[in-house]
């Protein structure tokens, strides 16, 4: 077998490992193994590529490998699960930058050799090569600066509000047109100076475009944006694969590109919003949220409950469902939730955790927090499975969740969240809502659930109120 066949065979093995790994990431119980399998696929691809290419000097590759390994290990150990979106944003950004550099290096090669010698040596088609270099730089550039902006928003370095100005979409469209114009000049001109001008134009504007693209998107929508940018980083890598004729880069780029789009679509569906609405509507600027106060016929009153009375209700309960939301993450109450769940089980109750796909602020946010508190996987129940059980639930404990249990999503056509599937907490016999006050959720609208006759408000930071309820259980047990 010749070397080229062996190398492509190794690339096919890598690609299969990537696909298997991705599939295993879909289930919590197999996710770790999936990650490892994908990493092995990547190791094979890197090693084979080093043998395949005529590497002139390995020094910089070793330096890059050492720096990357140290950074990777440190980040994996130091970065908290709750700051994963920031980490993913940075990784996407560097992926985009790497692709951009590949495109830039190839352009440098063309400039140094001249088209004729370049085409003779690399057997390319000038329009195809010019186009894939353009796409690599454009998508890589947008991904790089867009991801840095998303990181800064999530890390609180920039305000979370969307930055909007009049004519924003027109400015962005003009920038995009200018980039395409620069690309066309670089691809079709045979004059080296014009090619340089075209290349520089689309290189710089693609970096500006990434920034202006993410600017009008609110901090709460950043998880969707990051998933979308992840997809773009894959497409940039795929284009880079065509630039340097590397099959495994093309396959891996396609896998990242499609899985990022699928994840974005899942998140948008769970919020009942389109990707276009997330990317271009300026949601969270106050304009959308203020257009509706939510359920137009909100009636009833908020009925506070004390930790002592909460204990009495819970002590008699046989079916209990916890519904965690963003507030549980804010108060870091997951360990106390687990402790209360254990006490309820010891008291004879059956306990489940209802997981809404967009509860919190990042995909899998609640799963991650509950896993950190060692809540068994089997107790986590997805929205579609738990909803038919809600009518037979004695007590639903809503912990810092708001939008994901808001009945207005099903009833109020004027509501910004109308159509978003919710966890039907309101169907439980008693609903106990843990929150600090009258604060609205992410969408900024009122919640009818809190006013229903079967709802009670346990006010305070979720961790503190849970501690108080746990103390009641313990004192009852010891007396
Ligand atoms: P939410 O609607 O944002 O509501 C969170 C609630 O937690 C607030 O009403 C707040 O009320 C309460 N809270 C805050 N800090 C608290 C604390 N220390 N203790 C107790 N309560 C506290 O949260 P959600 O129900 O989880 O819904 C998530 C929202 O984010 C959805 O609208 C979703 O579309 C959006 N979103 C999610 C993702 C994702 O990937 N998960 C991505 C983008 C957008 P008080 O201020 O009164 O305490």
């Amino acid at each position: 077998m010749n070397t080229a066949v062996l190398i492509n065979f190794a690339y096919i093995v890598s690609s299969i490992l990537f696909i298997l790994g991705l599939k295993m990431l879909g289930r919590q119980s197999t996710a770790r193994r999936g990650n490892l399998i994908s990493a092995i696929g990547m190791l094979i691809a890197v090693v084979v590529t080093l043998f395949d290419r005529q590497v002139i000097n390995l020094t910089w590759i070793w330096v890059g490998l050492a720096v990357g390994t140290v950074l990777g290990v440190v980040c994996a150990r130091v970065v908290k699960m709750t700051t994963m979106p920031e980490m993913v944003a940075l990784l996407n950004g560097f992926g985009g930058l790497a692709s951009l550099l590949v495109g830039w290096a190839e352009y440098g090669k063309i400039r140094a050799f001249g088209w004729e010698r370049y085409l003779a040596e690399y057997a390319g088609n000038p329009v195809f090569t010019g186009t894939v270099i353009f796409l690599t730089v454009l998508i890589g550039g947008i991904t790089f600066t867009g991801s840095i902006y998303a990181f800064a928003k999530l890390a609180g370095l920039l305000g979370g509000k969307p930055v909007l100005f009049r004519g924003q979409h027109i400015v962005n469209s003009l920038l995009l047109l200018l980039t395409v114009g620069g690309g066309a000049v670089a691809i079709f001109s045979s004059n080296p100076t014009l090619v340089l001008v075209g290349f520089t134009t689309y290189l710089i504007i693609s970096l500006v475009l990434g920034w202006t693209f993410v600017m009008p998107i609110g901090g709460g929508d950043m998880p969707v944006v990051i998933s979308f940018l992840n997809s773009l980083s894959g497409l940039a890598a795929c284009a880079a694969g065509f630039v340097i004729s590397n099959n495994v880069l093309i396959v891996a780029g396609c896998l990242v590109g499609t899985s990022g789009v699928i994840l974005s679509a899942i998140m948008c569906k769970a919020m009942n919003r389109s990707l276009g609405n997330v990317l271009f509507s300026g949601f969270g600027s106050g304009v959308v949220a203020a257009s509706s106060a939510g359920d137009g016929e909100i009636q009833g009153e908020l009925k506070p409950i004390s930790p002592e009375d909460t204990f009495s209700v819970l002590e008699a309960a046989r079916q209990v469902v916890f519904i965690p939301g963003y507030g549980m993450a804010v108060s870091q109450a997951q360990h106390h939730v687990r402790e209360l769940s254990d006490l309820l089980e010891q008291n004879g109750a059956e306990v489940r955790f209802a997981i809404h796909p967009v509860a919190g602020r990042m995909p899998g946010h609640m799963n991650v927090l509950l896993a950190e508190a060692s809540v068994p996987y089997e107790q986590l129940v997805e929205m579609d499975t738990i909803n038919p059980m809600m009518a037979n639930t004695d007590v639903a404990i809503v912990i810092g969740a708001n939008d994901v249990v808001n009945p207005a999503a099903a009833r109020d056509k004027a509501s910004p969240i109308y159509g978003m599937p919710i966890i039907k907490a309101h169907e439980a016999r008693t609903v106990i809502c843990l929150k600090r006050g009258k604060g609205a959720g992410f969408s900024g609208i009122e919640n009818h659930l809190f006013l229903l006759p079967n709802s009670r408000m346990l006010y305070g930071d979720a961790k503190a109120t849970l501690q108080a309820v746990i103390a009641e259980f313990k004192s009852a047990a010891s007396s």
Side-chain angles (χ1 to χ4, degrees):
M1 232 188 282
N2 69 24
T3 322
V5 174
L6 270 178
I7 284 165
N8 275 313
F9 179 72
Y11 282 166
I12 290 172
V13 171
S14 291
S15 305
I16 291 172
L17 292 179
F18 292 154
I19 293 166
L20 284 176
L22 264 180
K23 177 137 181 58
M24 292 168 87
L25 286 179
R27 288 171 64 92
Q28 278 173 330
S29 51
T30 52
R32 271 168 185 258
R33 233 172 332 129
N35 215 3
L36 186 68
I37 286 178
S38 299
I40 292 171
M42 185 54 84
L43 182 69
I44 295 173
V46 170
V47 171
V48 168
T49 304
L50 287 182
F51 280 114
D52 176 31
R53 306 274 141 174
Q54 299 90 34
V55 179
I56 300 165
N57 185 345
L58 270 175
T59 314
W60 284 109
I61 292 178
W62 286 120
V63 171
L65 206 64
V67 172
T69 306
V70 171
L71 279 179
V73 170
V74 170
C75 288
R77 295 198 169 273
V78 171
V79 174
K80 287 191 195 152
M81 279 316 288
T82 44
T83 45
M84 269 302 150
E86 284 97 311
M87 169 98 177
V88 175
L90 278 184
L91 293 178
N92 286 343
F94 291 135
L97 180 63
S99 300
L100 180 146
L101 291 177
V102 169
W104 193 345
E106 205 66 10
Y107 166 73
K109 219 190 283 176
I110 295 170
R111 219 177 132 67
F113 291 181
W115 265 117
E116 273 173 27
R117 184 174 152 211
Y118 176 86
L119 293 178
E121 285 201 22
Y122 297 96
N125 167 313
V127 174
F128 179 77
T129 308
T131 306
V132 285
I133 292 178
F134 167 69
L135 289 175
T136 306
V137 172
L138 173 68
I139 306 175
I142 291 176
T143 310
F144 175 53
T145 48
S147 301
I148 298 298
Y149 197 101
F151 163 79
K153 271 201 176 177
L154 281 176
L157 304 173
L158 293 170
K161 286 243 168 221
V163 180
L164 301 170
F165 58 85
R166 195 187 280 267
Q168 197 158 26
H169 293 320
I170 297 175
V171 171
N172 279 349
S173 307
L174 285 177
L175 285 174
L176 190 62
L177 268 181
L178 211 56
T179 319
V180 174
V185 169
I187 294 165
F188 294 108
S189 174
S190 51
N191 178 331
T193 312
L194 277 182
V195 174
L196 176 65
V197 171
F199 178 80
T200 315
T201 306
Y202 73 69
L203 171 71
I204 293 173
I205 299 182
S206 65
L207 293 169
V208 177
L209 257 177
W211 201 259
T212 55
F213 163 66
V214 181
M215 254 169 72
I217 306 170
D221 279 335
M222 278 307 120
V224 184
V225 173
I226 287 170
S227 160
F228 185 69
L229 288 168
N230 182 35
S231 168
L232 286 189
S233 76
L235 293 182
C238 176
F242 279 108
V243 170
I244 57 171
S245 309
N246 185 298
N247 290 342
V248 80
L249 197 51
I250 295 171
V251 174
C254 284
L255 288 175
V256 175
T258 43
S259 51
V261 164
I262 292 170
L263 181 58
S264 309
I266 290 173
M267 282 197 270
C268 288
K269 192 170 164 222
M271 295 192 289
N272 195 38
R273 292 167 62 198
S274 66
L275 187 58
N277 177 277
V278 170
L279 299 181
F280 304 115
S281 74
F283 193 87
S285 60
V287 182
V288 179
S291 70
S292 168
D295 198 325
E297 290 167 25
I298 290 185
Q299 281 170 358
E301 55 177 350
L302 296 165
K303 297 166 283 297
I305 188 170
S306 65
E308 296 78 26
D309 290 344
T310 303
F311 161 70
S312 305
V313 174
L314 287 176
E315 204 201 13
R318 286 296 156 261
Q319 297 287 335
V320 178
V321 173
F322 283 94
I323 306 173
Y326 178 60
M328 183 181 83
V330 175
S331 79
Q332 288 292 293
Q334 59 274 20
H335 295 282
H336 298 84
V337 171
R338 164 79 205 262
E339 197 177 346
L340 180 58
S341 152
D342 289 347
L343 290 167
L344 286 165
E345 285 189 321
Q346 284 160 23
N347 191 44
E350 190 174 354
V351 179
R352 295 186 183 90
F353 292 79
I355 307 296
H356 192 284
V358 291
R361 291 291 184 272
M362 65 174 187
H365 203 167
M366 298 302 116
N367 302 61
V368 165
L369 293 173
L370 295 172
E372 184 193 302
S374 305
V375 172
Y377 293 142
E378 308 76 57
Q379 281 187 315
L380 309 190
V381 185
E382 290 187 10
M383 177 174 62
D384 293 340
T385 312
I386 200 79
N387 273 341
M389 302 177 189
M390 290 310 296
N392 289 324
T393 299
D394 294 320
V395 184
I397 312 179
V398 177
I399 303 163
N402 194 336
D403 291 347
V404 300
V405 288
N406 191 341
R411 289 205 283 262
D412 181 9
K413 288 193 175 158
S415 170
I417 59 167
Y418 179 69
M420 175 172 122
I422 56 157
I423 293 175
K424 295 178 179 168
H426 56 278
E427 291 187 357
R429 286 180 197 108
T430 305
V431 188
I432 298 180
C433 307
L434 280 66
K435 68 201 293 283
R436 296 163 308 178
K438 293 183 177 176
F442 170 73
S443 64
I445 60 170
E446 287 182 35
N447 194 336
H448 193 173
L449 170 74
F450 304 143
L451 307 172
L452 294 177
N454 56 335
S455 289
R456 296 291 178 276
M457 306 301 293
L458 182 53
Y459 286 122
D461 174 77
K463 194 198 285 186
T465 45
L466 282 167
Q467 269 167 340
V469 177
I470 290 167
E472 291 296 321
F473 265 93
K474 287 184 176 166
S475 86
S478 60
S479 59

